[in-house]
Amino acid sequence: DLCKEQGASQVLHREGLAVLPGAFDPLLLSQILQAHLSLPERHKHGTFKFGDLREQRLATHLSFCAPFDRLPLLGMGSLLHRPLAAYLGDDFRLESALVITVEAGTGAQNAHQDTSAPGSLSVHIPLQPLDHTLAPLGFYVGSREDGNFLSRAGVRVKRRLLGEKLNVSVPEPMPVIASSDKEEILLRWNRSDVLRLDDVEFRRGQKRALVRRFSSSEAATLGLEVGDEICHINELDFVAWHKVQKYIPELQEDLTVRVLRPVATSNGLRSKPPPRRTLRVWFSADGPATDGGGRQSCHPKLLVGAPLSVGDALLYDSRTVHWGMANRAGCARHVLYLNFMSSTFNGQSPDADAVRKSSSEY
């Protein structure tokens, strides 16, 4: 538990996120949820709609009508005031108060930061019991002050060889011709294909891997050829995918594999790799990454924001890299989302953009 031994303010300053158990009245939150569900669809998708969210999430502004007007935005007994004031300053302000809905079957979000500037804090409050199947948030702890994390993900990976170990020798450089002599191949893999990768010998780069040889005939069923360059698995670069896939079973199924294959030439020469491009990082983790279903994942910096009870408050710095996991439960997920800012906040806020674009009817 992020707040088991220390106060929320201390944990928040140290880690950039913290949990306040029982910060809100579960009975009142149940009434809030029922009132939200009874809103006409024209209000949810029109009058009270909060801009556009990533990956088909729906955000709805709170009405000033009952029972929403009875909601203490700082929690019971103003429990949120102390950690908010300690983190943002005494003159912090509320920017938005929303209900965010993730329908059953919705996929995972792209990993992102809500802002790159300090002085913004988000509060995630479940309106129903939240477990690892019900689209919890995932976090990369410690990323709030690392603005280049997303562009560097997958680069600092300890190099290791798959399958048979190679002799420690420097391979001869491949002859180079025009980079236009590579064609893109898309392959489809599942869990059994991932297991066959143990029979493929690679030469790894920072983000990609070059196929050097196969150690079994079964590896040929992968659709790869010697000289292929595996670039991406879904929207994650190959090296980053391999770093996390063993912890996340969902990253071993229904995979789209992007491969660059040298085009055959009369002199048999291979082409040089195409120039690097920066791609967004995708953490499509939508399953538990713990032995016991707790919050701390197998990777020391990956954290799953579940389980949480109705009324618990998960506070996190808006700069922290996070993503909404997939909803694999049979029902929609609803959470109350609050965003607070310091009076000196001077950054770009997606909440502010959405508020400006929202309806002025109410």
Side-chain angles (χ1 to χ4, degrees):
D1 193 323
L2 289 175
C3 297
K4 185 175 182 180
E5 297 179 356
Q6 300 185 48
S9 298
Q10 292 176 278
V11 177
L12 192 57
H13 275 278
R14 188 181 71 240
E15 306 291 354
L17 69 165
V19 175
L20 270 176
F24 290 81
D25 179 10
L27 179 59
L28 177 57
L29 291 185
S30 177
Q31 296 171 359
I32 294 289
L33 176 58
Q34 293 306 313
H36 171 76
L37 294 176
S38 67
L39 282 175
E41 290 300 312
R42 68 179 184 276
H43 288 332
K44 293 180 185 177
H45 295 273
T47 304
F48 297 126
K49 183 181 178 182
F50 171 93
D52 294 312
L53 293 187
R54 302 170 175 87
E55 301 301 322
Q56 302 178 351
R57 268 83 174 155
L58 175 65
T60 308
H61 290 285
L62 296 186
S63 165
F64 290 112
C65 301
F68 303 103
D69 59 346
R70 295 190 285 112
L71 178 67
L73 295 177
L74 292 179
M76 294 187 298
S78 298
L79 284 175
L80 293 183
H81 183 270
R82 182 174 180 180
L84 286 172
Y87 203 81
L88 301 175
D90 290 330
D91 52 354
F92 67 86
R93 58 185 174 85
L94 174 73
E95 182 182 40
S96 57
L98 317 162
V99 172
I100 297 181
T101 300
V102 182
E103 295 294 340
T106 300
Q109 281 183 312
N110 184 30
H112 62 277
Q113 296 170 298
D114 288 339
T115 183
S116 59
S120 176
L121 198 66
S122 299
V123 186
H124 177 86
I125 306 148
L127 297 178
Q128 60 208 109
L130 193 65
D131 65 15
H132 65 269
T133 68
L134 198 56
L137 293 182
F139 298 91
Y140 199 98
V141 181
S143 56
R144 57 179 164 165
E145 296 179 354
D146 187 356
N148 295 320
F149 168 75
L150 287 175
S151 61
R152 292 188 295 101
V155 174
R156 293 184 181 179
V157 179
K158 181 179 180 181
R159 296 189 177 188
R160 58 187 182 276
L161 300 175
L162 298 178
E164 297 179 2
K165 293 185 177 181
L166 301 177
N167 294 327
V168 183
S169 60
V170 179
E172 295 183 4
M174 294 166 53
V176 173
I177 57 176
S179 61
S180 60
D181 292 325
K182 281 200 174 186
E183 61 178 341
E184 183 180 80
I185 305 293
L186 296 180
L187 304 173
R188 298 291 295 177
W189 287 354
N190 55 32
R191 190 182 304 275
S192 61
D193 297 314
V194 173
L195 295 177
R196 292 191 187 101
L197 283 177
D198 289 338
D199 297 326
V200 181
E201 187 178 287
F202 298 102
R203 191 175 86 194
R204 294 188 176 219
Q206 289 185 330
K207 297 184 178 181
R208 305 174 179 183
L210 185 72
V211 178
R212 300 192 64 185
R213 61 178 64 89
F214 304 109
S215 60
S216 76
S217 59
E218 291 186 355
T221 63
L222 290 169
L224 296 172
E225 296 180 4
V226 173
D228 283 353
E229 189 175 6
I230 307 177
C231 300
H232 306 106
I233 306 288
N234 290 350
E235 297 195 35
L236 190 66
D237 68 71
F238 176 77
V239 175
W241 168 81
H242 195 272
K243 174 184 178 182
V244 299
Q245 58 89 13
K246 63 182 178 180
Y247 302 123
I248 306 169
E250 288 75 13
L251 285 182
Q252 300 175 2
E253 291 283 3
D254 194 24
L255 305 177
T256 298
V257 184
R258 180 171 175 262
V259 175
L260 293 180
R261 178 167 295 168
V263 176
T265 60
S266 58
N267 57 10
L269 296 179
R270 300 291 191 183
S271 64
K272 67 180 180 179
R276 295 182 187 176
R277 64 185 70 178
T278 301
L279 295 174
R280 57 194 184 140
V281 180
W282 187 285
F283 289 98
S284 55
D286 54 8
T290 71
D291 292 333
R295 296 187 179 94
Q296 184 63 52
S297 68
C298 297
H299 192 284
K301 289 190 175 181
L302 292 178
L303 181 141
V304 178
L308 291 173
S309 300
V310 176
D312 290 348
L314 173 59
L315 293 71
Y316 62 95
D317 190 306
S318 302
R319 296 172 294 170
T320 300
V321 173
H322 63 282
W323 60 98
M325 295 183 176
N327 186 350
R328 297 190 294 115
C331 61
R333 180 271 262 171
H334 306 278
V335 300
L336 178 64
Y337 169 88
L338 308 175
N339 183 252
F340 296 90
M341 288 186 171
S342 69
S343 60
T344 58
F345 178 78
N346 192 31
Q348 180 68 21
S349 166
D351 290 1
D353 292 341
V355 170
R356 282 193 294 269
K357 295 176 183 177
S358 65
S359 170
S360 59
E361 182 178 348
Y362 287 86

